Amino acid sequence: MLKVRLFFVLISIITASVANAQASSIAISGIIRNKADKSALPYVNVVVKNEKDSSFVAGTVTNDEGRFFIASIKPGNYRLYISFTGFEPKEQPLFVGSLSAFLDLPLIELNEQSTVLEGVTVTTQTSGISNKLDKKAYSVADNISQSGGSVLQSMQNLPGVTVQDGKVQLRGNDKVTVLIDGKQTALTGFSSQTGLDNIPASAIDKIEIINNPSAKYDANGNAGIINIIMKKNNQNGFNGKVSFTSGLGSLWVRKENLPSIRPQYTFTPKINPSVSLNYRKDRVNLFLQADNLYTQTLNKNEFVTRSYDDGTIINSQLKRNRNTNFLTTKAGVDWSINEQNTLTVSGMYGSEKIIDRGDQPFFNGAISQRLRLWQFLEDELKTTAMATASYTHRFKEAGHLLNVGFNYTFHREDEQYFYDNYLPSSTGTDAFKLLSDEQVYDFNIDYIRPLKYGRIETGIKLRKRSIPTNMDFRPGANSVLDMEAGGWADYRELIPAVYGNYVFENEKWEAELGLRMEYVKIRYDVNPNHSTYKSDGYNYTQPFPNMRLAYKLNENNKLSVFYNRRVDRPNEVDIRIFPKYDDAEIIKVGNPALRPQFTNSIELGYKNTWSRGYFYAALYHRFANGTITRISSTVPGSTLIYAIFQNAGRSYNTGMEAIVSQKISDAYSFNINGNIYRNQINAFTVQNKYPAPNTFSADQRSAMSGNLKLNNTLHFAKGWDAQLAAVYLAPDIISQGKILSIFSIDAGAKKIVQKGKGELFFNATDLLNTMVIKRKIDGMGFRYTSNDYYETQVIRLGYSYKF
């Protein structure tokens, strides 16, 4: 309680700001013709004036085809004036919305001095929460307190996002789809989130959070979508940016080891060089981004006490000293073939090398007798290569687009584990090797057509994915490995999809209606000699609708209601048949019989903006069928615990989220984000088949939970900026227990140097060293508690230079 009180005292002192909403910038285009002969009229004057006071806003003249283009118009109500010598002037109302990127007015024809207007186009630039209330966008460079770390670390302070046990959550739910530049990749997972803690934030431009995705996005990820936008410059000539960051973590031992094991990592180094290069001339733009993140980390330091109904108590510690080197490189070319056609070809390469040296001793309840000791070495190499080609055709009407794309991804997972098993009377050495090669082919066609009051979007997408996997167990003396659970498995996935989306907007109302139809066929073939599992699979054809309806109370207040239906398909790792011995006595196993989780979501949102800030609030409710979760169980005569994925039936998540952002002065701004929700998991019964059939039943469980996040940004003289951030996560339930509260405070500062070309920064995460993941699990015949004192406190120093 003292820590919690201290947290709230600090909260009362500090407040925060990560992102400030910016005004939209609108572009208008159209066509003017002679009604008599339908000919185009060049050099026609086109003027936009304010409706309220008739003040001049912008103007232009038409080209040889009678087309005009006006940029930088803010959303609002205007009058459009058209005049040309020999023709009667034309005046008409013009409503410029913020919902659609483009607006196309119908053809206007006049007798004699006539002008015809067609195809008004609107493009917007947003920051913070979009006017649609469905998206929040944040610049990574503005997150000073997390600069120089990984993408996962940079998300910790973003409003609406929490990081719990190495996974990103939106509104308390980790079923999040992670995209890179709008595409799913093997770097971050196709059906789940992976690798975010190893991708350097230095490669990232901004992060978009989409709570209510439209039909144009893949249907998976019921909590929403996080889109990571990588850096890419397009300035003329040769330019770029270089940076270097170094840091130290594990500054002291938070909890001493149990007896007789190797020391924990302390003063762990972090090194991150980065380079971004760009060359643009005429119609060709060449770009290159390369980052290397090397870290030593106390990746896990988990103390577990297991208590069984027969009175047995076992204490253990799982400690992993990890060395990681992650290299990412992206290069490509943008070729503007002509005014209407553009081709982009790019490639990405990622190499992640992981060396884990771990210890796991097991003691009796009094920690007076060591029962056994595992010491292991994990040698893992993950290699990812991706090739992308994207073609865009721009029709003569601005915003009228056809996009065609192809994406190929190859991902290899090469893992080797070596275990020394020390028993009181003997010693044995086990080993196993896992090899997995993933190949994914994506093809898509997207079409966008502006309308008078909005736009239509439609398209098709085809995905073919295959993952052959092989597990080779190599037992030693007194082996504890399950030799019959190895062999090969082959995962195959085929997903064709078609979608349509209609967007409407006028002065008071906004609407978005979409439907995505997906056919999914999954086949999982396994080694016929496997001790438990057999080949399995499933297929379905399902509609995934989305809807948004908004009413503009006035220029600064908007009310929206959302609905969508989404699915979370099991990832290949979730159904993988091989035991995963990350913990020698709490063993994770997949389940080929796992089925998709379908979720329906509704939300009511409200946004109020003013000159220096905004208020955003949302009420939401999600209900899921086939909830995917891990279920831990034991088998008679053994103290081993097997954690196996299962469909646990229906679950619910109901809550309220609010964000307040305010710029107090040029020197100080703050942002506060709160989220409170109720989680409920209905009663369920499942059967775990591995290593022997056993049934687990649970009663209905529910709990109130939430989080509070505060950041403040200070701007000082001489180019200094500072940020102080605090995060509190309340206790929450999981399928067989609960996870306890945590909180942390981060701080950082940066200074602009060298006439704006250079930047220095310094930051520190988890200043009070308070982040400890604590769990309580209740199973049939056992229960256990765990406290993970992994590395959370890190200090970093960095420098970057633009040229």
Side-chain angles (χ1 to χ4, degrees):
M1 290 299 298
L2 179 60
K3 290 183 178 180
V4 174
R5 289 173 183 170
L6 176 59
F7 170 76
F8 281 107
V9 169
L10 289 169
I11 292 306
S12 65
I13 297 173
I14 63 169
T15 46
S17 174
V18 173
N20 294 310
Q22 298 178 357
S24 300
S25 178
I26 310 301
I28 300 174
S29 66
I31 301 175
I32 300 175
R33 293 177 180 170
N34 186 336
K35 181 180 179 181
D37 58 9
K38 310 300 181 185
S39 62
L41 294 176
Y43 311 114
V44 176
N45 292 307
V46 181
V47 176
V48 176
K49 295 183 180 182
N50 274 317
E51 184 180 58
K52 291 182 178 179
D53 57 11
S54 296
S55 60
F56 176 84
V57 175
T60 187
V61 295
T62 58
N63 63 13
D64 291 341
E65 296 180 346
R67 296 181 179 275
F68 67 89
F69 183 88
I70 301 176
S72 301
I73 305 295
K74 294 182 179 181
N77 291 298
Y78 301 92
R79 304 293 295 182
L80 189 67
Y81 295 87
I82 304 167
S83 61
F84 187 52
T85 303
F87 290 80
E88 182 179 331
K90 172 67 178 178
E91 175 187 348
Q92 67 181 50
L94 174 65
F95 168 71
V96 178
S98 58
L99 179 61
S100 179
F102 298 94
L103 182 66
D104 194 12
L105 293 181
L107 184 65
I108 301 174
E109 296 181 326
L110 300 175
N111 291 318
E112 281 299 318
Q113 305 157 343
S114 63
T115 54
V116 177
L117 179 63
E118 181 185 293
V120 174
T121 302
V122 178
T123 59
T124 64
Q125 297 174 348
T126 61
S127 178
I129 299 176
S130 76
N131 289 325
K132 293 168 60 179
L133 309 188
D134 67 338
K135 180 189 294 184
K136 298 182 282 285
Y138 303 102
S139 169
V140 172
D142 293 337
N143 196 359
I144 306 170
S145 63
Q146 293 289 347
S147 296
S150 67
V151 172
L152 183 69
Q153 292 161 346
S154 69
M155 292 182 185
Q156 289 186 148
N157 295 335
L158 298 185
V161 179
T162 55
V163 177
Q164 184 79 277
D165 197 19
K167 281 199 168 185
V168 174
Q169 295 183 344
L170 295 177
R171 298 172 175 172
N173 190 330
D174 65 3
K175 295 296 188 290
V176 178
T177 296
V178 180
L179 310 179
I180 293 183
D181 291 334
K183 301 178 180 66
Q184 291 181 309
T185 75
L187 285 177
T188 55
F190 281 93
S191 299
S192 63
Q193 45 173 298
T194 60
L196 293 176
D197 202 24
N198 294 318
I199 300 176
S202 56
I204 307 305
D205 178 32
K206 63 181 179 179
I207 297 172
E208 296 179 341
I209 302 165
I210 307 171
N211 291 112
N212 296 281
S214 70
K216 68 181 179 181
Y217 293 99
D218 289 340
N220 55 307
N222 77 71
I225 291 173
I226 292 179
N227 187 23
I228 299 170
I229 308 297
M230 300 192 72
K231 290 179 179 177
K232 177 182 173 182
N233 208 340
N234 57 5
Q235 298 177 11
N236 287 324
F238 179 73
N239 50 82
K241 182 178 182 179
V242 293
S243 62
F244 182 84
T245 302
S246 61
L248 287 175
S250 295
L251 303 181
W252 49 64
V253 175
R254 303 169 72 184
K255 185 175 176 63
E256 294 291 342
N257 287 337
L258 293 179
S260 70
I261 69 171
R262 294 171 294 187
Q264 304 173 19
Y265 264 175
T266 55
F267 291 95
T268 53
K270 326 286 179 184
I271 301 172
N272 178 206
S274 174
V275 60
S276 177
L277 302 175
N278 180 81
Y279 177 74
R280 182 173 183 174
K281 185 176 181 181
D282 299 327
R283 294 184 177 274
V284 176
N285 180 57
L286 303 172
F287 55 90
L288 169 69
Q289 174 75 35
D291 298 80
N292 193 83
L293 178 62
Y294 172 79
T295 64
Q296 289 185 13
T297 311
L298 181 59
N299 176 257
K300 183 174 274 297
N301 193 24
E302 185 176 21
F303 292 79
V304 176
T305 298
R306 286 179 282 148
S307 302
Y308 296 85
D309 288 353
D310 64 3
T312 301
I313 297 177
I314 298 176
N315 287 293
S316 67
Q317 176 191 359
L318 176 58
K319 183 213 68 187
R320 302 173 74 100
N321 291 332
R322 173 169 290 186
N323 291 36
T324 304
N325 193 85
F326 194 96
L327 170 68
T328 55
T329 304
K330 182 178 181 180
V333 56
D334 299 319
W335 178 30
S336 297
I337 303 170
N338 51 41
E339 294 296 330
Q340 279 75 46
N341 299 282
T342 302
L343 178 66
T344 297
V345 179
S346 65
M348 179 186 292
Y349 174 80
S351 175
E352 180 182 4
K353 179 68 173 179
I354 299 174
I355 298 291
D356 267 352
R357 293 176 175 85
D359 297 74
Q360 189 172 22
F362 298 88
F363 287 83
N364 62 359
I367 315 184
S368 59
Q369 178 186 2
R370 194 182 78 184
L371 307 176
R372 74 189 267 217
L373 169 66
W374 267 36
Q375 290 186 331
F376 61 89
L377 169 67
E378 176 188 357
D379 185 348
E380 183 175 3
L381 178 63
K382 296 180 180 179
T383 305
T384 303
M386 190 169 74
T388 300
S390 177
Y391 166 75
T392 299
H393 174 72
R394 298 175 180 83
F395 295 89
K396 291 185 177 181
E397 303 85 5
H400 190 183
L401 302 174
L402 176 69
N403 295 313
V404 180
F406 174 77
N407 190 74
Y408 169 75
T409 299
F410 172 81
H411 178 72
R412 167 166 288 181
E413 186 179 341
D414 188 349
E415 301 180 29
Q416 297 185 80
Y417 285 77
F418 303 92
Y419 291 103
D420 291 322
N421 187 22
Y422 297 93
L423 299 170
S425 59
S426 64
T427 300
T429 298
D430 292 327
F432 64 80
K433 179 180 176 63
L434 173 70
L435 183 64
S436 171
D437 284 342
E438 178 177 11
Q439 295 190 77
V440 185
Y441 301 85
D442 281 329
F443 175 75
N444 66 278
I445 300 176
D446 300 284
Y447 174 78
I448 303 172
R449 178 69 167 94
L451 303 172
K452 177 181 179 181
Y453 294 109
R455 69 181 183 275
I456 56 171
E457 303 169 325
T458 187
I460 60 173
K461 182 176 181 179
L462 176 65
R463 169 173 292 164
K464 184 179 180 182
R465 184 175 176 220
S466 64
I467 312 175
T469 308
N470 189 74
M471 175 73 84
D472 180 19
F473 286 121
R474 303 166 186 173
N478 304 300
S479 175
V480 297
L481 300 179
D482 184 353
M483 298 303 302
E484 294 182 351
W488 59 267
D490 190 0
Y491 176 93
R492 286 170 290 170
E493 174 183 290
L494 179 66
I495 307 179
V498 59
Y499 75 90
N501 208 42
Y502 170 64
V503 179
F504 168 84
E505 180 180 20
N506 63 20
E507 295 183 11
K508 284 294 185 180
W509 291 94
E510 298 173 357
E512 183 172 359
L513 299 173
L515 179 66
R516 186 179 190 90
M517 289 293 299
E518 283 189 351
Y519 169 74
V520 173
K521 183 178 181 180
I522 305 295
R523 180 67 184 172
Y524 191 59
D525 293 320
V526 305
N527 171 20
N529 297 322
H530 193 278
S531 58
T532 303
Y533 293 123
K534 306 299 180 184
S535 298
D536 210 330
Y538 62 88
N539 63 82
Y540 66 78
T541 302
Q542 290 278 343
F544 297 96
N546 72 278
M547 181 274 290
R548 185 181 72 86
L549 183 65
Y551 179 70
K552 305 171 189 176
L553 302 173
N554 52 46
E555 292 183 359
N556 298 320
N557 293 271
K558 183 182 292 186
L559 195 64
S560 292
V561 60
F562 300 86
Y563 166 78
N564 63 44
R565 181 175 188 264
R566 301 186 67 77
V567 63
D568 285 281
R569 294 181 295 271
N571 195 22
E572 184 269 339
V573 175
D574 300 342
I575 67 175
R576 189 176 285 180
I577 60 175
F578 314 122
K580 188 172 178 62
Y581 294 93
D582 287 343
D583 186 302
E585 296 191 1
I586 303 177
I587 301 166
K588 296 178 180 178
V589 188
N591 178 8
L594 203 61
R595 293 298 182 258
Q597 169 183 315
F598 293 93
T599 304
N600 291 273
S601 302
I602 55 176
E603 178 178 328
L604 179 66
Y606 169 73
K607 182 182 179 184
N608 173 241
T609 60
W610 52 89
S611 60
R612 286 178 170 247
Y614 65 87
F615 168 74
Y616 166 77
L619 296 172
Y620 57 89
H621 176 67
R622 289 192 295 256
F623 49 100
N625 286 314
T627 305
I628 296 175
T629 187
R630 280 195 186 273
I631 300 297
S632 297
S633 63
T634 60
V635 295
S638 173
T639 58
L640 299 182
I641 295 174
Y642 297 91
I644 300 175
F645 276 112
Q646 293 282 6
N647 294 107
R650 292 183 69 90
S651 62
Y652 305 87
N653 177 257
T654 305
M656 180 178 70
E657 180 182 31
I659 301 174
V660 177
S661 181
Q662 177 67 50
K663 183 177 181 180
I664 302 299
S665 67
D666 291 339
Y668 174 68
S669 59
F670 74 86
N671 177 287
I672 179 170
N673 169 219
N675 184 26
I676 183 170
Y677 54 86
R678 180 180 183 271
N679 272 338
Q680 176 179 315
I681 303 174
N682 280 5
F684 65 90
T685 298
V686 296
Q687 184 182 66
N688 283 349
K689 293 185 177 181
Y690 185 86
N694 62 91
T695 301
F696 175 82
S697 297
D699 296 330
Q700 177 179 304
R701 305 182 70 248
S702 64
M704 293 296 298
S705 186
N707 51 74
L708 182 65
K709 188 172 298 186
L710 301 164
N711 297 289
N712 61 344
T713 301
L714 302 169
H715 304 283
F716 301 104
K718 299 182 179 180
W720 279 100
D721 292 327
Q723 187 180 64
L724 189 63
V727 178
Y728 171 74
L729 306 183
D732 202 354
I733 61 170
I734 50 182
S735 58
Q736 289 177 285
K738 64 180 180 179
I739 188 166
L740 304 185
S741 63
I742 60 174
F743 76 95
S744 67
I745 295 177
D746 306 328
K750 70 177 181 180
K751 177 177 172 56
I752 304 299
V753 296
Q754 297 171 293
K755 299 180 179 179
K757 292 187 175 182
E759 180 180 292
L760 286 167
F761 76 85
F762 172 82
N763 60 38
T765 61
D766 194 15
L767 288 173
L768 302 182
N769 222 7
T770 51
M771 288 191 68
V772 180
I773 303 298
K774 300 180 179 181
R775 290 188 185 85
K776 293 183 178 180
I777 302 296
D778 294 310
M780 291 187 66
F782 74 93
R783 63 187 182 278
Y784 74 79
T785 61
S786 72
N787 298 317
D788 191 356
Y789 296 86
Y790 69 108
E791 175 186 305
T792 58
Q793 192 175 66
V794 179
I795 58 173
R796 296 186 183 89
L797 177 66
Y799 167 77
S800 63
Y801 179 78
K802 295 184 294 185
F803 58 89

